[in-house]
Amino acid sequence: MTLKGMVKGTRNMLGRYVGKWFYDKGIPFDAANSPYFPPMVSAIQRVGPGIKPPTAYKLSGPILDEEVEEVKKWIEEYKQSWPRTGITLMSDGWLNKVSKKEFLNFLAYSPKGVTFLSSKDVSGTKKDANFYVRLYDQIVEEV
């Protein structure tokens, strides 16, 4: 078998195993378009044979903790720019059809991007103009 044939066979095998993982876990195919997918494959290639994949424990514990810290730092960078650029406060509402709870989500838009601020359970409250003024005042104070 030629080197070209071996590479083609290896690529096909990689594609099949990645595909099996996607199919088995019901991962949407457009997850392959994630900007994090190619670097993950490159990191696996660099580490080389014999590397053990992270366990469910590591993914849900230490690795997740590191990612949360990274996102917190990223959001803090966004917030540092707010005094210079200002923000637009945005909100949207949704209803949990199972629990019948109503929620309002609050986000901040700035030239750096959109950041989630908070979610408020507004179930059972009278939603008049005074309610929204008080709620938005509270969010503005938090920001």
Side-chain angles (χ1 to χ4, degrees), residues 81-93:
S81 72
W82 293 355
R84 287 189 322 278
T85 64
I87 64 166
T88 299
L89 186 61
M90 303 185 308
S91 68
D92 72 339

Side-chain angles (χ1 to χ4, degrees), residues 2-115:
T2 66
L3 180 61
K4 189 175 180 179
M6 285 174 37
V7 169
K8 184 178 179 185
T10 302
R11 278 193 188 136
N12 187 51
M13 182 179 65
L14 171 65
R16 300 266 321 269
Y17 279 110
V18 169
K20 286 176 192 282
W21 180 63
F22 270 68
Y23 313 142
D24 178 59
K25 292 299 170 190
I27 299 168
F29 299 132
D30 73 337
N33 296 328
S34 164
Y36 301 105
F37 188 68
M40 176 189 69
V41 173
S42 293
I44 293 168
Q45 291 169 334
R46 280 192 307 276
V47 174
I51 184 67
K52 293 196 186 299
T55 63
Y57 165 76
K58 283 190 176 181
L59 287 168
S60 66
I63 294 172
L64 179 58
D65 292 344
E66 288 178 32
E67 289 301 311
V68 166
E69 286 308 310
E70 185 175 313
V71 169
K72 283 180 180 177
K73 287 177 188 170
W74 181 64
I75 290 171
E76 210 38 57
E77 285 179 25
Y78 273 39
K79 288 181 177 182
Q80 302 279 324
S81 72
W82 293 355
R84 287 189 322 278
T85 64
I87 64 166
T88 299
L89 186 61
M90 303 185 308
S91 68
D92 72 339
W94 61 281
L95 171 67
N96 181 319
K97 293 183 180 182
V98 175
S99 69
K100 304 291 187 222
K101 290 192 174 218
E102 296 176 80
F103 296 92
L104 282 176
N105 295 328
F106 294 91
L107 305 108
Y109 169 82
S110 75
K112 271 204 169 257
V114 178
T115 304

